[in-house]
Amino acid sequence: MDFFTVIENRHSYRGAYTDSPVPKSDLEKIADAGLRAPSGCNEQTTSLIVVTDAALREKIAGVLDHKSVRSAPALIIVTTRYHKFDFGLAFELEDYAAAVENILLAATAMGYASCWFDGMVRTGGRDKAIAEILGAAEDENVRCILPVGVPAQIGKQAPRKPFDERVTWKQG
């Protein structure tokens, strides 16, 4: 799929997934796309936990009960480690956001659907509960869950505000 077609087709899929498994080789490509995202000072603060084990997916769905999380054959849990540089800045959020976007685009390019579940994960102690289920390191922060699979229904990108409303030109 052409890069710009991928961007036009990427959407947040919140529906159920089919029973079709996602081959490990596809998940490796999708994860690798995320790890190749830009990273502040190349610190690479983002890590991924790919969960295909049915029992673990069920435990995670018990914490974040959503049909996408419950039915996806694969879950990519995005974690970060906080690192503040001596010049006073940390790039943990930027790093993980860039990684997630690459993952979402890669999944779309390969014919899968996903959704960036973030706020629901980081409220009510769900992030800590998921970290415990997965045995994440104490300094590893669970940021979001990305269900990945073949969607049961066709989805499409939500309407966008007009281009001219969001882009301003300052031309010389």
Side-chain angles (χ1 to χ4, degrees):
M1 193 181 303
D2 165 80
F3 177 73
F4 292 99
T5 303
V6 170
I7 290 174
E8 290 168 5
N9 285 318
R10 195 236 30 99
H11 62 281
S12 297
Y13 182 75
R14 294 178 178 86
Y17 290 89
T18 69
D19 292 336
S20 300
V22 180
K24 184 177 181 185
S25 60
D26 286 359
L27 290 168
E28 287 172 345
K29 286 180 185 177
I30 292 167
D32 186 57
L35 298 177
R36 290 180 179 276
S39 173
C41 297
N42 200 32
E43 188 64 19
Q44 301 177 50
T45 60
T46 302
S47 295
L48 309 173
I49 303 171
V50 182
V51 181
T52 57
D53 178 79
L56 275 178
R57 287 187 291 115
E58 185 64 30
K59 285 181 183 178
I60 293 167
V63 174
L64 185 64
D65 188 16
H66 189 280
K67 63 184 163 189
S68 290
V69 174
R70 190 165 294 285
S71 64
L75 300 173
I76 299 176
I77 314 308
V78 181
T79 68
T80 61
R81 285 191 165 88
Y82 182 80
H83 174 83
K84 188 173 184 178
F85 289 92
D86 57 3
F87 52 85
L89 295 178
F91 299 104
E92 171 191 21
L93 298 179
E94 294 86 346
D95 289 358
Y96 114 84
V100 167
E101 182 63 10
N102 275 13
I103 290 167
L104 295 173
L105 292 173
T108 300
M110 296 176 75
Y112 300 110
S114 188
C115 185
W116 187 340
F117 286 94
D118 183 306
M120 294 171 66
V121 171
R122 293 188 298 124
T123 58
R126 291 182 191 95
D127 54 347
K128 304 287 188 239
I130 293 167
E132 186 174 322
I133 289 168
L134 297 172
E138 195 169 309
D139 66 338
E140 207 169 5
N141 303 305
V142 170
R143 287 293 176 182
C144 70
I145 293 177
L146 305 169
V148 178
V150 176
Q153 298 95 28
I154 301 297
K156 66 178 189 173
Q157 192 172 89
R160 297 297 189 236
K161 293 179 182 177
F163 182 87
D164 291 338
E165 187 178 312
R166 297 178 66 196
V167 176
T168 303
W169 299 91
K170 301 293 184 184
Q171 299 179 5

